């Protein structure tokens, strides 16, 4: 794996994903009972926004830095903002939590987290980020698709976060196959998949693949920062949810709309919709 998330930590896509994760955990933890979480592409766990990789891209400046400066940002960001403040002792934002720390810090003593990562440097950092939190928060140097599929064979409540870099040609196929496997083995598991948004057909074909494979209704949250006429650039991102808790995507919508408003492009928009049809939208464009 060549992808290093440190270049992109705290960018618009992280804000969308991590707002969704914190809102998801609020609902799953409130439901009671032990929760297992599997993070298929965990990354380094914590990111230094003053480091060379983050400074080279500058993406955090238009993302988390702008969010933390906005006291009127939607409440959907509250969980993420609290986590960022806690890591930085309420001072300037230097550290940003990846999904491993964002999740592991919120879990209860009886819950468990496994983050899978294959990059040789990032797995070292992931161990460092999780080891102070106890043995129930694990970092494993394994293929995350395999880890999640194995976890689904067990009993109890399960949340699987699938967030590949999509640098491999088969990531869409493997993510779709994993979702089908997880839900076949554990029909009540909650699955969330993050995807880049470059062109509309790629997203739509992926959603259709999921619909054919998982046998349950999908909720889709979509952000466009640019028009979808250049498939070689990142024009936005999307999150696809299976078995999402009631009200999750509606609660997430204000955060997506806030992100879209940060783009100067007239094509910027945020939508939440159900199934493979945008004409069944349950949230409006900005």
């Amino acid at each position: 794996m060549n992808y290093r998330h440190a270049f992109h930590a705290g960018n618009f896509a992280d804000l969308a994903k991590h707002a969704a994760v914190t809102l998801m955990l609020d609902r799953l933890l409130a439901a009671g009972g032990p929760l297992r979480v599997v993070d298929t592409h965990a990354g380094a766990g914590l990111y230094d926004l003053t480091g060379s990789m983050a400074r080279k891209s500058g993406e955090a400046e238009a993302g988390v830095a702008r969010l933390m400066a906005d006291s009127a940002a939607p409440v959907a960001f509250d969980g993420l903002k609290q986590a960022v403040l806690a890591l930085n002792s309420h001072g300037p934002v230097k550290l940003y939590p990846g999904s491993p720390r964002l999740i592991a810090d919120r879990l209860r003593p009886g819950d468990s987290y496994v983050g899978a990562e294959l990059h040789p440097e990032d797995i070292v950092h992931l161990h460092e980020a999780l080891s102070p939190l106890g043995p129930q928060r694990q970092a494993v140097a394994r293929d995350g698709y395999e880890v999640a599929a194995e976890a689904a064979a067990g009993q109890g409540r399960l949340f699987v976060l699938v967030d590949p870099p999509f640098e491999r040609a088969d990531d869409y196929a493997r993510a779709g196959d994993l979702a089908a496997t997880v839900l076949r083995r554990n029909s009540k598991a909650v699955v969330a998949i993050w995807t880049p948004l470059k062109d509309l057909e790629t997203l739509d074909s992926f959603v259709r693949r999921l619909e054919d494979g998982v046998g349950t209704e999908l909720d889709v949250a979509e952000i466009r920062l640019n028009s979808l006429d250049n498939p070689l650039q990142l024009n936005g991102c999307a999150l696809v949810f299976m078995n999402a808790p009631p009200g999750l995507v509606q609660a997430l919508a204000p955060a997506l709309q806030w992100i879209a408003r940060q783009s100067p492009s007239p094509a910027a928009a945020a939508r939440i919709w159900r199934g493979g049809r945008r004409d069944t939208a349950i949230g409006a464009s900005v």
Side-chain angles (χ1 to χ4, degrees):
M1 300 293 289
N2 297 314
Y3 179 85
R4 303 299 300 279
H5 190 69
F7 286 104
H8 312 290
N11 71 353
F12 81 93
D14 266 1
L15 299 189
K17 175 176 58 180
H18 293 152
V21 165
T22 54
L23 290 170
M24 179 78 79
L25 287 175
D26 286 346
R27 285 155 175 77
L28 294 177
L29 296 177
L35 176 68
R36 293 175 299 146
V37 182
V38 177
D39 196 348
T40 63
H41 297 76
L46 277 174
Y47 298 96
D48 180 2
L49 299 184
T50 67
S52 59
M53 285 187 279
R55 287 188 287 108
K56 183 175 182 179
S57 73
E59 292 180 19
E61 290 299 316
V64 66
R66 187 174 295 177
L67 172 65
M68 300 304 288
D70 185 356
S71 60
V75 297
F77 284 121
D78 282 359
L80 174 58
K81 293 180 77 172
Q82 290 165 8
V84 172
L85 288 170
L87 278 174
N88 293 280
S89 301
H90 292 260
V93 179
K94 297 181 180 179
L95 290 176
Y96 184 82
S99 57
R101 278 298 298 262
L102 196 64
I103 296 169
D105 283 344
R106 296 174 75 85
L107 294 180
R108 304 159 301 185
D111 302 321
S112 63
Y113 169 88
V114 176
E117 177 55 48
L118 288 174
H119 194 285
E121 293 182 41
D122 283 351
I123 188 62
V124 172
H125 294 309
L126 183 60
H127 277 292
E128 293 172 350
L130 293 177
S131 58
L133 304 180
Q136 290 297 96
R137 282 58 168 157
Q138 297 182 349
V140 295
R142 291 187 57 200
D143 183 303
Y145 296 114
E146 296 177 357
V147 173
E150 291 171 7
Q155 300 297 313
R157 299 196 305 143
L158 176 66
F159 170 38
V160 177
L161 176 62
V162 187
D163 179 25
F166 290 94
E167 67 175 7
R168 291 172 51 117
D170 64 349
D171 271 329
Y172 282 105
R174 294 197 73 193
D177 291 346
L178 173 64
T181 297
V182 167
L183 292 171
R184 185 174 63 253
R185 294 178 175 178
N186 184 338
S187 62
K188 295 183 179 180
V190 177
V191 181
I193 304 177
W194 178 92
T195 74
L197 184 52
K198 297 182 177 181
D199 63 278
L200 199 55
E201 176 52 34
T202 299
L203 175 62
D204 285 351
S205 63
F206 180 56
V207 171
R208 289 194 297 269
R209 180 189 185 99
L210 287 171
E211 284 191 305
D212 291 341
V214 303
T216 189
E217 201 162 44
L218 311 178
D219 290 312
V220 184
E222 175 188 331
I223 300 173
R224 303 183 195 182
L225 297 187
N226 304 296
S227 58
L228 304 182
D229 55 7
N230 183 355
L232 299 180
Q233 71 178 13
L234 182 64
N235 294 308
C237 67
L239 289 146
V240 186
F241 303 100
M242 285 137 275
N243 288 336
L248 174 75
V249 291
Q250 291 86 349
L252 179 61
L256 305 183
Q257 292 167 342
W258 183 93
I259 294 169
R261 285 195 295 270
Q262 308 313 304
S263 172
S265 170
R271 285 174 69 83
I272 54 175
W273 42 285
R274 181 159 292 136
R277 293 165 56 94
R278 284 177 179 77
D279 57 4
T280 60
I282 51 178
S285 301
V286 295

